[in-house]
Amino acid sequence: AASRLRLPALCFLLQILNILLFAAFARYSPESSPGRCPPQLNCSQRSLDSAFQQPRFQDVPIQALLSFGLLLAFLSRYGPGSAASSVLIIAFAIQWAVLIQGFFNSFLNGKIYVGARSVVSADFCTAAVLISTGAVLGRLNPVQMLLLALLEVTLCTLNEYILLSLMGVRDSGGSLTVHTFGAYFGLVASRVLWQPQEDKRRREERQDITRGQQEDVLAVVGTIYLWIFWPSFTSTTDVQDNARGWAVLNTYFTLVASVLATFILSPVLQEESTPRMVQIQGATLAGMAVMGMAGEMLLTPFGTLSAGFLVGLISQLGLRFFTPVLHSRLKIRDTCGVHNVHGLPGILGALLGTLLTLLATADTFGDRLELVFPLVAQGSRTVTDQAFIQLGALPLTLLLAALGGCVTG
């Protein structure tokens, strides 16, 4: 009886805490209303917040719940329970992320001003938590998952604040702040949680994967929603509508190339003649993770297809060769393969974004240079300075994710 009451008791305490904090600090942002706007707020952003119309605003939560959530349900052993845990994490993490991000980004006169952009940013942070959960799936109960979300949201927000606000890094789709941070936070936590009896459980799980096929049904649904909603996910945080076209087109081209690379390499490395839907879902995520930073930058169709094809190959090679090394040598049990789907593609996306930053000039970008790199357009930074900042954000993210995962584990 005491064990059954732990989860309800923790949910009750956390929800009461959120309600009290929202009552004390949270207010709807005047930027979203047509009334008078206080001088402390940037009312030039009023139209930007209202630009999050109903379809676009819904795309991000749907993406987090159905695409990321179903990725955690791909094992027949964990399917129903992990899907329920995903909903639990999302329900809590969004509330907590709105509060924590509000204290960092919109805390004025003792209040947090909440708008549509606040919820979208919270969804991005929640996606990072779901990615981390994939690395420790099967070893944490719901109570522990809530505690993981509590700590990770706080550290994820700190990482975002340092990168995006203090350093001026451009990462609108979250190659670093979502995919890389979430993957390595979870992987380090998985390493701390490792126990000697994990080897036996790992063998049983492999047999479970070969026996069960219902996880492919969940993967089909998750993949479909990825194809439909991910371009909106990667372009939602772009400030100007003029920059969203690049992000959407780059994402689609990368997506198709990554999936095709899976069909090329998977039959060579695996026993099946065609990839399973779980692998296709992973390739779709990998192709989109690599576009998180570079999506809004000037990347030609040739460049996007090449990047997608490369990350698709890297993801499959990592699954075949690097995942066994993680388990046997580093004692990291990556249940959902987040290292191949999010970690490696996120690092590759950061490197690609750095390269494209070096090519960002007024001649190549035109008027869009001010949209993507405003500090460069204003003359406050050189292109080289911005590129070094983009590159320096990668080791900083890895450090914060490793420290946070170690403490949380």
Side-chain angles (χ1 to χ4, degrees):
S3 178
R4 289 199 309 270
L5 292 177
R6 288 176 185 172
L7 180 60
L10 181 60
C11 289
F12 176 79
L13 292 175
L14 291 178
Q15 187 59 48
I16 293 299
L17 175 63
N18 281 332
I19 291 174
L20 293 176
L21 290 175
F22 268 90
F25 298 105
R27 301 292 184 272
Y28 284 126
S29 174
E31 298 174 17
S32 304
S33 63
R36 183 179 179 183
C37 185
Q40 297 89 345
L41 295 177
N42 182 9
C43 293
S44 64
Q45 304 291 317
R46 182 194 303 273
S47 60
L48 302 181
D49 198 68
S50 62
F52 283 86
Q53 299 167 350
Q54 193 73 359
R56 180 175 293 274
F57 178 75
Q58 288 179 345
D59 287 353
V60 178
I62 291 174
Q63 178 77 351
L65 179 61
L66 290 175
S67 301
F68 284 95
L70 291 178
L71 178 65
L72 300 182
F74 80 99
L75 296 177
S76 58
R77 171 179 296 182
Y78 304 128
S82 60
S85 298
S86 299
V87 176
L88 173 65
I89 292 171
I90 292 170
F92 165 72
I94 287 178
Q95 299 178 65
W96 188 242
V98 168
L99 286 169
I100 299 301
Q101 291 178 342
F103 284 120
F104 277 97
N105 300 318
S106 59
F107 190 68
L108 295 172
N109 299 326
K111 302 297 179 184
I112 296 172
Y113 292 94
V114 179
R117 297 182 66 89
S118 306
V119 180
V120 170
S121 297
D123 284 322
F124 270 69
C125 189
T126 302
V129 178
L130 291 173
I131 292 171
S132 300
T133 305
V136 295
L137 183 64
R139 286 170 292 166
L140 297 186
N141 59 44
V143 172
Q144 293 169 318
M145 287 186 178
L146 277 177
L147 296 177
L148 181 144
L150 180 72
L151 295 172
E152 184 171 0
V153 164
T154 306
L155 292 171
C156 181
T157 302
L158 175 63
N159 183 60
E160 286 182 351
Y161 179 75
I162 294 174
L163 266 59
L164 305 184
S165 298
L166 299 184
M167 298 175 60
V169 174
R170 295 298 299 183
D171 188 29
S172 62
S175 282
L176 286 176
T177 56
V178 176
H179 298 280
T180 303
F181 185 90
Y184 290 99
F185 186 101
L187 289 171
V188 174
S190 178
R191 173 62 184 89
V192 177
L193 292 169
W194 183 85
Q195 296 176 350
Q197 58 267 32
E198 292 288 338
D199 292 332
K200 180 180 178 181
R201 296 179 59 186
R202 180 68 171 177
R203 287 192 296 268
E204 294 175 352
E205 185 176 279
R206 286 176 179 171
Q207 295 174 359
D208 182 57
I209 294 175
T210 60
R211 289 196 307 266
Q213 296 298 324
Q214 62 266 37
E215 67 272 11
D216 275 343
V217 177
L218 299 176
V220 169
V221 178
T223 303
I224 290 173
Y225 276 96
L226 282 170
W227 279 67
I228 294 174
F229 294 109
W230 193 279
S232 295
F233 189 84
T234 56
S235 64
T236 297
T237 57
D238 289 328
V239 175
Q240 301 289 343
D241 289 335
N242 293 336
R244 287 186 182 134
W246 285 357
V248 172
L249 291 174
N250 288 339
T251 300
Y252 268 120
F253 281 127
T254 309
L255 182 156
V256 296
S258 176
V259 171
L260 192 60
T262 302
F263 278 88
I264 295 172
L265 194 57
S266 179
V268 178
L269 300 177
Q270 309 293 334
E271 296 179 357
E272 296 88 352
S273 58
T274 57
R276 298 176 57 202
M277 280 306 302
V278 171
Q279 294 172 289
I280 298 173
Q281 184 184 25
T284 304
L285 282 167
M288 295 169 175
V290 77
M291 277 296 108
M293 179 182 290
E296 64 177 351
M297 301 179 187
L298 183 58
L299 189 59
T300 63
F302 164 78
T304 56
L305 290 173
S306 300
F309 187 72
L310 177 62
V311 78
L313 297 178
I314 291 176
S315 177
Q316 291 302 311
L317 291 172
L319 177 65
R320 176 64 177 84
F321 298 107
F322 204 77
T323 297
V325 174
L326 283 178
H327 180 71
S328 61
R329 299 290 180 88
L330 302 180
K331 307 303 180 184
I332 297 176
R333 181 174 171 238
D334 185 6
T335 309
C336 293
V338 298
H339 183 254
N340 309 309
V341 175
H342 299 281
L344 291 177
I347 291 176
L348 182 61
L351 298 177
L352 178 62
T354 301
L355 175 62
L356 293 175
T357 303
L358 288 173
L359 304 177
T361 63
D363 294 334
T364 56
F365 274 59
D367 295 337
R368 294 189 179 186
L369 181 64
E370 187 174 359
L371 303 178
V372 181
F373 298 111
L375 296 178
V376 174
Q378 297 167 8
S380 303
R381 286 180 182 171
T382 65
V383 171
T384 305
D385 293 337
Q386 184 68 39
F388 274 114
I389 290 173
Q390 298 285 132
L391 183 61
L394 175 58
L396 179 58
T397 297
L398 292 174
L399 176 61
L400 290 175
L403 291 176
C406 182
V407 172
T408 302

